[in-house]
Amino acid sequence: MKLDDCLQIAAGVRGRKFSAKETALEALRRAEKMQDKFRAFIRLTPEIAERQAKIVDQKIAKGMELPLAGVPFAAKDLIEVAGTPTTCGAKVFGEERAQQDAFVIRRLVASGAVLIGKLNMHECAFGFTGENPHYGDCKNPWDTERISGGSSSGSATAVALGICPLALGSDTGGSIRQPAALCGLTGLKPTYGRVSRSGVVPLSWTMDHVGPLTHTAAEAAAVLAVIAGRDPSDETTHRRPAVEKYASELAQSVRGMKVGIPHRWFFESLDREVANTVHAAIEQLGRLGCKRVDVNLPHMEEVVGAHRAII
């Protein structure tokens, strides 16, 4: 069974080609098999997965529509799951168990997704390598001698390994986007206030975001449609209750759009291979009808220091 596409799995479960229980068991089997080598997880949650999968299968049997039916997912271990500890990748928080699910967990489970575990991360979300002295260094699936990135290291590793097609991460200064890039995935940092952070241990409340890591933009759009929206328990979420049809926007042409290219700072120290890839992407956007605009962003040298000071 392939576990690398949320949309295909959900369609298969809704069409009764296989069950949510089967997808959950396969995801757990893969997680256990790969854990010692890659250290993607801090904790697996087979009891939770079995209970949630059973409910999904019962709902499907009754003809209920679930957009992410049977999709196995895992959450970075600073996102609370009722009945399990939230370690934040550290030992200092002990084994105190969360009293309730975070908002994003509740949304995903209500959509039919099935939680299989809590993911490894850079300690306290404050770092970019995924090295962790307490739970093991998270390895890059493409080359175990290289880092997976951070701080959502386990999130990227689990999806890239094909353990589950969806993982939740958090991003305060690149912690979804960087591991997604290093592991060849789509990582989405949503607009501030679009996704609730209720039940998520903060690093910096003015800069924290919660978002998905998936293989494709279409999957990320489907997940965002589920987790986005107003949450009264997080006053920073948008008041507007309606959620856009993100998936329908993917087919729109980019012709006529302006793409800003900030050369100074961003391109000055790039490896040649990375620079060539970025320039190839810029050229492709041009062929698709985008207008390239070279821009200068002043004071970039001061951003990192300001970012750390705010945290």
Side-chain angles (χ1 to χ4, degrees), residues 84-168:
T84 68
T86 307
T87 70
C88 298
K91 289 293 188 182
V92 68
F93 296 104
E95 290 293 310
E96 183 177 351
R97 298 175 183 270
Q99 297 301 305
Q100 61 181 4
D101 291 337
F103 179 86
V104 286
I105 298 293
R106 296 199 302 272
R107 280 288 184 95
L108 284 173
V109 172
S111 76
V114 175
L115 179 77
I116 65 165
K118 306 293 293 296
L119 293 159
N120 202 354
M121 55 183 286
H122 201 105
E123 187 173 6
C124 293
F126 198 65
F128 295 104
T129 67
E131 296 168 300
N132 189 303
H134 310 298
Y135 298 100
D137 297 343
C138 201
K139 303 296 185 181
N140 191 306
W142 300 98
D143 182 351
T144 56
E145 297 300 313
R146 298 179 185 271
I147 62 171
S148 60
S151 61
S152 304
S153 48
S155 304
T157 295
V159 175
L161 284 172
I163 293 172
C164 54
L166 162 64
L168 289 176

Side-chain angles (χ1 to χ4, degrees), residues 25-37 39 41 44-46 116 163:
L25 290 176
E26 176 62 16
L28 287 165
R29 184 191 68 80
R30 294 184 188 187
E32 291 172 352
K33 180 181 179 181
M34 299 177 183
Q35 177 63 8
D36 287 345
K37 182 175 182 179
R39 310 304 299 177
F41 287 82
L44 293 174
T45 56
I116 65 165
I163 293 172

Side-chain angles (χ1 to χ4, degrees), residues 224-236:
L224 184 60
V226 168
I227 63 175
R230 174 71 178 147
D231 175 15
S233 62
D234 181 352
E235 293 186 355
T236 68

Side-chain angles (χ1 to χ4, degrees), residues 6-295:
C6 298
L7 304 179
Q8 290 183 10
I9 291 172
V13 172
R14 288 195 300 265
R16 312 288 288 273
K17 294 181 180 178
F18 41 81
S19 67
K21 180 179 179 180
E22 288 175 301
T23 62
L25 290 176
E26 176 62 16
L28 287 165
R29 184 191 68 80
R30 294 184 188 187
E32 291 172 352
K33 180 181 179 181
M34 299 177 183
Q35 177 63 8
D36 287 345
K37 182 175 182 179
F38 294 99
R39 310 304 299 177
F41 287 82
I42 288 177
R43 172 176 286 101
L44 293 174
T45 56
E47 297 86 0
I48 293 174
E50 183 177 354
R51 182 174 69 250
Q52 292 176 353
K54 182 178 180 180
I55 293 172
V56 170
D57 288 332
Q58 290 172 343
K59 289 181 176 180
I60 292 298
K62 294 177 180 178
M64 298 178 65
E65 281 292 323
L66 299 172
L68 297 178
V71 173
F73 80 99
K76 185 177 182 179
D77 202 17
L78 49 61
I79 301 173
E80 292 187 342
V81 172
T84 68
T86 307
T87 70
C88 298
K91 289 293 188 182
V92 68
F93 296 104
E95 290 293 310
E96 183 177 351
R97 298 175 183 270
Q99 297 301 305
Q100 61 181 4
D101 291 337
F103 179 86
V104 286
I105 298 293
R106 296 199 302 272
R107 280 288 184 95
L108 284 173
V109 172
S111 76
V114 175
L115 179 77
I116 65 165
K118 306 293 293 296
L119 293 159
N120 202 354
M121 55 183 286
H122 201 105
E123 187 173 6
C124 293
F126 198 65
F128 295 104
T129 67
E131 296 168 300
N132 189 303
H134 310 298
Y135 298 100
D137 297 343
C138 201
K139 303 296 185 181
N140 191 306
W142 300 98
D143 182 351
T144 56
E145 297 300 313
R146 298 179 185 271
I147 62 171
S148 60
S151 61
S152 304
S153 48
S155 304
T157 295
V159 175
L161 284 172
I163 293 172
C164 54
L166 162 64
L168 289 176
S170 65
D171 192 314
T172 307
S175 288
I176 288 174
R177 294 161 289 162
Q178 192 225 31
L182 268 58
C183 292
L185 303 171
T186 296
L188 178 64
K189 173 193 170 188
T191 300
Y192 188 84
R194 176 47 62 204
V195 177
S196 172
R197 298 163 303 168
S198 175
V200 180
V201 179
L203 177 58
S204 174
W205 66 269
T206 59
M207 295 189 289
D208 290 346
H209 302 69
V210 178
L213 291 92
T214 60
H215 283 281
T216 67
E219 293 172 275
V223 174
L224 184 60
V226 168
I227 63 175
R230 174 71 178 147
D231 175 15
S233 62
D234 181 352
E235 293 186 355
T236 68
T237 52
H238 293 304
R239 299 301 195 268
R240 185 174 56 192
V243 175
E244 295 91 337
K245 302 281 188 183
Y246 300 107
S248 65
E249 301 290 324
L250 296 177
Q252 291 192 5
S253 172
V254 297
R255 184 167 298 280
M257 288 186 180
K258 292 182 179 180
V259 178
I261 312 298
H263 283 276
R264 192 183 66 81
W265 179 266
F266 292 98
F267 285 82
E268 287 171 353
S269 301
L270 279 186
D271 287 346
R272 182 177 301 238
E273 184 179 4
V274 176
N276 290 341
T277 302
V278 173
H279 285 301
I282 294 170
E283 291 172 5
Q284 176 64 13
L285 287 170
R287 287 190 288 271
L288 292 171
C290 289
K291 180 181 178 181
R292 169 177 170 164
V293 181
D294 293 324
V295 298

